[in-house]
Amino acid sequence: MSPGPALVAALLLAASSTRAAAPEGEPVGSKALDLLVGRLSDRILAAHPEVPAAVGVSSASPALGNATAALLASRLSAGGLPSFVLSGEEERASRAQAQGAATLVHLVVRLDGELTAAGELRTVRRNFWSGRTPVSDGPALALAASVPADAGARMLWGAGQGPVGLVLHPTPLARFGERTAAVAAGDIDGDGHGEVAVLLESEVQLIDEGGRLLARFSLAGLPPAPIPVREPFGTLCIRDGLLEVVPANAAGGVTLRLTGSTLTSTGVAPRPTLGCGGDSLPARFVAGVARLQTDGPPANRPVWGGDVRRGHRALLFPDGTATWMRAGESEPQQIPGVGAGGALVDWADEMFLATTSDAANPAEDRLRVVGERSSLGDVAVPGRILQVCRAVLDGRVVLVLGVWTPDGGSELRAVWRRP
Amino acid sequence: MRAGRLLVLLALVSPVAASAAARARDGGTLKIAVLPEVRADRWGETPEGAVLRSLLAAPLCRIEAEGRVQPMLATFQRTAEGVVIVPRVGARFPSGTPLGAAELARAWTRALDRSPAARAALGPVRDVAAVLAQPSRSALLVLPLAHPWPDLEASLCHPALAPVAGESGTDGIGPYAPDGADRGRAVPGFPEGRPHPDGFAVTALARRAAQRALEIRAAQVLLGDGGDPSAPALLATYLVSRPATRPLVALLEPRLDRAALVRSFIGGPALAMPGLLPAVLGGPEKAAASGSPGRGSGTALLLYAADRPTQRAVAQRLQILLRDAGVQLTLAPRSPEALDRDWRAGQGDLALRSVLLPPAPAAALAVVLELAGDPAASRRELAPLGSLADAGERATRTRERALQLAATLPLLPLYVEGLRGRLDPALVDVRRDAFGLWMLDDAWWP
C-alpha cells in the first residue's frame, strides 16, 4: 500500500523543517502512521457515511496533525469516500458544512508511548427535518485507534511541537528501578558513536545511543564512605576512553575500561570533578550531604553541581542561584530559581546553560535553556530533573536528563534543539 | 487596586524565593502525631506501629514497591548451603555496639518467642534454634536452609525481624537514636545516610486533636487515622481455633458478613478477606458459598489483643453472632505479646490473630501456616513451593494451594487492613514499600 501524494507532500514539508532533528539513517515516513490511518479509514468506511467528508485533525504537533489529515483524506478517497482536509481548529462543523461536506471526521492525534488517535465521525448535513438542530450536535460515531510508535511518528511529533526551540523526546532513553546519582556522556570506545554512563545507587550502567545496555559494573565491592549520604549523588566522567566513577557513598572512586561488553577497573581512583574536559574543576564531596566543594573559589560555598566547557564555568548553589562565568568575561551572570541539575551546551557556535527548576517536588519539572545571546525558552519534563548532561547522540548535540520518577525509580530523557 | 496587584505579585514571588530546594534540605524536627493505640503498639506489629518503630529500629532491608530488596542494615549472599547475612558498615546500636552475628542471633531468638511472622520467616532455616544459639564469632550470620526458599531475603525484611538489643522494642538500629521518650535525633553514620531532619518528636493525641494538629501543621505525619485504599493492605486478621472448637467456627461462618464487619467495625483502608491470602497477594475476592446458619450450644473462650480497638470491636461482634447460634463466647483480652504466648501455651478455644503478611504469596502462606500451628505440615507444604525458582510460577502455585488449604486449616480469614495515616502534603520523598508502609526516614520539606 503506497502512501498518497498528499502524504508525501506533508512528509516532505515536515522533513524540510526538521531535517537536522531526524536521526540519521531513518526513512522520512512512518509505518506506524500508515497503520493508524489504515485502522481509522477501515472504521470510517465501514460506517458508510454520506459523501463528501471533511477531515480535521488536531495535534500538539502541527506536522503530525497535517500528515495524519492528508493521509486519511487520501485513504478515504481511494476507498470510495471523496474527502478533503479541513484546515483550522475553530467551528469545524459549520465550516465543513459551508465547504459542502456531508460528513465531518474530527480527530486528535498524540504520541504518548503509543501513537494514538481519538475523535468522532458525525454528519453535518441538515435538511428540513433537522429543524434548528445545530450542526455541532446530533449523532456521532466514536473513533479511536492506537499503534506502537516508530521513529517516523516520533519525528513528526517532535518536529512541530510548541513555539519554543526545545523538544523532549517522547519516550525515555532508559528506565531504572533506582535513582540516578550522576549522568555523563562521551565516546568511550572510540567508534564514533556516543555512549551514556549512568551512576545508580548500586551500580554503573553504560548504554548506547538507542538506550540499549552495553555494560554494567556493580559498586557493591567499593568500601563505604565513613559518613554516608542519603541522596544518590556522585560524579561521572568519560575521557581518554575511560569512565571515572566517584559515588558519594563510597570511600573512593573507580576508573573503568570497557572491554567488549565488560567494564573492568584499572585500579586508578579518580577524584570528583565539575565538568569533564581538560579544564575541569577538581572538587571534593561534603560529608553526609549531596554537595560538592570545589578546590578553587568560591571557598566554603558548596554546590550541588555545575559544569565547565570551553572556558565557560557554571556553578549551581543550594540557595537556588547559578553563576555563569563566561569565557573572556570577568563578571559572572547570576541566574535565580535554579535547581540541582545543570549543563553547558554548545549549539551552533553559541554556548547555552541548561538548568532545572528549584521546585521541591514538582510533578512536572522544567528544563530552561539560556544562551549568551538568546534564550531557547523551556520545556516541561514529567518528574524531577536531577541531572543534565550534554551528549552527542546520532551525530546531534542533545541534552540527556536524569529524571526521578514518583515510583522511586528514574529514567533518562533526551531534549534536543529544534533548528 | 494597586495594593491588590502588589499583593498578588508578592504571593507569586515569595514562595519561589523561599522554596529553593531541588535537592533535600537538612534540618528541622519531623513532628509526628499518633493515636493512643499506635503508641501502645510497642513492637510495631501494626502498619502504623511498624512505621513509627522503624525510625528507631530499622529492618535489615526494605522491599521497594516494585519488589526489589534494598539493603538497610545488612546485605545477603546466597551460598550452596543457604544465605549469609553480612551487616553493613555503620550498622551500630546507639550504645556503639556494631551489629554482628551474636547481636542478630540474640534479637531473633527473642523475636521467635514473640512473633508468628518471625517464626515463619526463619522457618525454612535448618534447625534455627541451634543456629541462633551458637552464632559464629565473626560479624556474618550463616543461615543454612532445610529446603530451597527463594523468598528468604524478602521475608528477612519483615519489621518483626528488625534487630533490637534489649526488651523495649525500640532499642534498635535506626536512622534516629532515642533522645528521651518521645524524641529521636538523626544518626549521622546510619548506613543509608542520616535522615534529612535533625530529629523527630512524637505526640500521642486523641483522634480529633491529631486531625487538628495535622490541619494546623503542628504535626506533619499522623499515624492511626485516614489512609489510602489503593495502597497494599497486608495486616491480615484471622480467627484461629482449636480442633475441638471447629464446630463453633462452622456455626459462625454462615452468619459472618465480612464486608459488613469491615464497614461497621474496622473502617479505614480495610477489605474483607474471604481467602487465606488477601486480594493484594492474589487471594479470592468472594467467599465460597457456605451452608445455612445452624444452631449449637456450649461455651468458648476467645483471646484477643486488648490494645487494638478494631480487634475489641470484632471480638464483641463475634460474641453476638455466636450468641444467636446458641453459643456463649467469653472474651479474654490480652496484651499482643501475651496473646501469642498464651495461645501457644494452650489457653483459649479461639483467638483473633492479626499479622503483617510479607508482600510475597509464598512467604505470606508460610505465616498463615505458622498461625495454624503445625510446623511439620508447614514444612510439607512449603518445601515444594520453595523448589519453584520462578517467582510467577511460585505465586500461582501458592494461590492454588491456599485455596485448597482454606477448608482444612483451623483458620477463618476475616479482613485485611492497610496503613492508617495522613501526611502533610509539603513532605517530599515519602514513598511506600511493598508492605504498604511509609519510608519516613527519607522525608524532608522545603
Side-chain angles (χ1 to χ4, degrees), chain B residues 116-117 119 236 238 240 340 343 353-355 357 366-374 410-411:
Chain B
R119 288 193 292 273
Y238 303 86
V240 295
D340 183 67
W343 176 257
R353 305 298 311 266
S354 298
V355 61
L357 296 177
V367 176
V368 173
L369 289 165
E370 165 58 35
L371 284 179
D374 183 350
L411 278 97

Side-chain angles (χ1 to χ4, degrees), chain A residues 21-120:
Chain A
E24 279 175 17
E26 284 176 356
V28 183
S30 167
K31 283 210 178 71
L33 190 60
D34 236 27
L35 194 63
L36 182 85
V37 167
R39 289 197 188 158
L40 290 167
S41 64
D42 289 350
R43 181 90 205 271
I44 294 166
L45 292 172
H48 298 294
E50 289 178 279
V51 296
V55 178
V57 181
S58 312
S59 176
S61 157
L64 180 61
N66 293 341
T68 311
L71 182 55
L72 185 58
S74 73
R75 192 68 63 81
L76 291 176
S77 301
L81 176 67
S83 307
F84 61 89
V85 174
L86 187 69
S87 58
E89 302 266 328
E90 304 295 317
E91 302 276 320
R92 278 222 165 90
S94 48
R95 284 192 300 112
Q97 193 187 33
Q99 290 180 38
T103 301
L104 170 65
V105 175
H106 173 218
L107 293 165
V108 178
V109 182
R110 67 192 162 82
L111 197 152
D112 185 16
E114 291 202 310
L115 181 64
T116 306
E120 60 179 21

Side-chain angles (χ1 to χ4, degrees), chain B residues 9-393:
Chain B
L9 201 69
L10 279 176
L12 284 174
V13 168
S14 53
V16 173
S19 69
R23 276 193 179 275
R25 241 172 221 296
D26 285 0
T29 300
L30 181 69
K31 289 166 288 182
I32 306 170
V34 300
L35 298 197
E37 62 262 29
V38 178
R39 168 54 67 79
D41 180 18
R42 296 190 311 133
W43 289 99
E45 291 174 352
T46 62
E48 304 80 42
V51 168
L52 189 62
R53 182 178 177 236
S54 72
L55 297 175
L56 296 172
L60 287 190
C61 47
R62 281 268 159 79
I63 314 177
E64 298 279 340
E66 90 286 3
R68 186 168 53 92
V69 173
Q70 168 80 17
M72 296 278 284
L73 302 182
T75 56
F76 307 119
Q77 288 168 7
R78 282 271 171 180
T79 63
E81 277 278 277
V83 170
V84 181
I85 299 172
V86 187
R88 289 176 75 185
V89 176
R92 288 172 178 278
F93 290 95
S95 63
T97 312
L99 180 66
E103 288 73 23
L104 206 50
R106 263 200 302 277
W108 283 0
T109 304
R110 286 192 296 266
L112 288 176
D113 220 25
R114 191 182 61 238
S115 161
R119 288 193 292 273
L122 297 176
V125 177
R126 191 191 320 130
D127 206 358
V128 64
V131 168
L132 296 183
Q134 292 180 326
S136 68
R137 293 190 173 201
S138 76
L140 312 183
L141 184 63
V142 182
L143 299 180
L145 289 179
H147 57 80
W149 194 244
D151 290 321
L152 186 72
E153 286 89 342
S155 304
L156 295 180
C157 298
H158 197 288
L161 290 175
V164 285
E167 288 297 330
S168 79
T170 50
D171 191 7
I173 304 169
Y176 296 89
D179 190 12
D182 297 318
R183 308 181 78 86
R185 56 173 195 284
V187 175
F190 188 67
E192 285 289 278
R194 64 156 269 178
H196 300 299
D198 291 332
F200 75 84
V202 179
T203 324
L205 294 171
R207 189 177 304 267
R208 284 305 306 265
Q211 290 167 346
R212 177 92 186 114
L214 191 72
E215 274 165 28
I216 63 170
R217 296 192 147 174
Q220 294 158 295
V221 181
L222 164 54
L223 291 172
D225 183 67
D228 178 2
S230 65
L234 286 166
L235 181 70
T237 298
Y238 303 86
L239 180 69
V240 295
S241 51
R242 306 275 177 216
T245 329
R246 295 299 294 275
L248 289 190
V249 178
L251 287 176
L252 181 64
E253 214 170 345
R255 291 181 159 79
L256 188 65
D257 180 349
R258 291 182 178 85
L261 194 70
V262 166
R263 220 170 27 246
S264 309
F265 302 100
I266 313 297
L271 283 172
M273 182 175 64
L276 290 177
L277 295 180
V280 63
L281 295 179
E285 291 186 0
K286 286 209 172 92
S290 51
S292 56
R295 282 191 67 81
S297 62
T299 60
L301 185 69
L302 170 74
L303 307 188
Y304 74 94
D307 294 340
R308 312 268 163 80
T310 53
Q311 275 208 13
R312 193 170 55 235
V314 169
Q316 287 167 353
R317 180 69 193 147
L318 297 181
Q319 194 178 32
I320 292 169
L321 289 177
L322 277 175
R323 194 180 58 200
D324 293 349
V327 177
Q328 193 190 346
L329 192 63
T330 309
L331 304 187
R334 293 281 190 278
S335 75
E337 298 100 290
L339 175 61
D340 183 67
R341 191 184 56 228
D342 292 353
W343 176 257
R344 288 198 296 144
Q347 289 187 27
D349 307 302
L350 296 163
L352 281 175
R353 305 298 311 266
S354 298
V355 61
L356 185 64
L357 296 177
L365 185 64
V367 176
V368 173
L369 289 165
E370 165 58 35
L371 284 179
D374 183 350
S378 300
R379 192 150 291 186
R380 222 168 32 240
E381 243 354 284
L382 297 176
L385 291 176
S387 65
L388 300 171
D390 178 68
E393 207 180 324

Side-chain angles (χ1 to χ4, degrees), chain A residues 177-179 181 201 224 226-233 288-291 304 318-320 339-340 357-361 384 386-387 404 406-408, chain B residues 16-17 19-26 64-66 68 70 89 175 188-196 425 427-429 431 441-442 444-446:
Chain A
E178 308 176 5
R179 301 289 208 195
E201 290 171 58
I227 301 178
V229 186
R230 181 161 285 270
E231 282 189 290
F233 193 59
V289 285
R291 308 274 188 272
W304 54 27
D319 63 0
S357 86
D358 62 352
N361 195 18
R384 258 160 88 186
L386 268 293
Q387 292 90 24
W404 291 5
D407 60 0
Chain B
V16 173
S19 69
R23 276 193 179 275
R25 241 172 221 296
D26 285 0
E64 298 279 340
E66 90 286 3
R68 186 168 53 92
Q70 168 80 17
V89 176
F190 188 67
E192 285 289 278
R194 64 156 269 178
H196 300 299
L427 280 188
V428 183
D429 274 343
R431 290 178 293 116
D441 51 336
D442 279 334
W444 60 279
W445 57 93

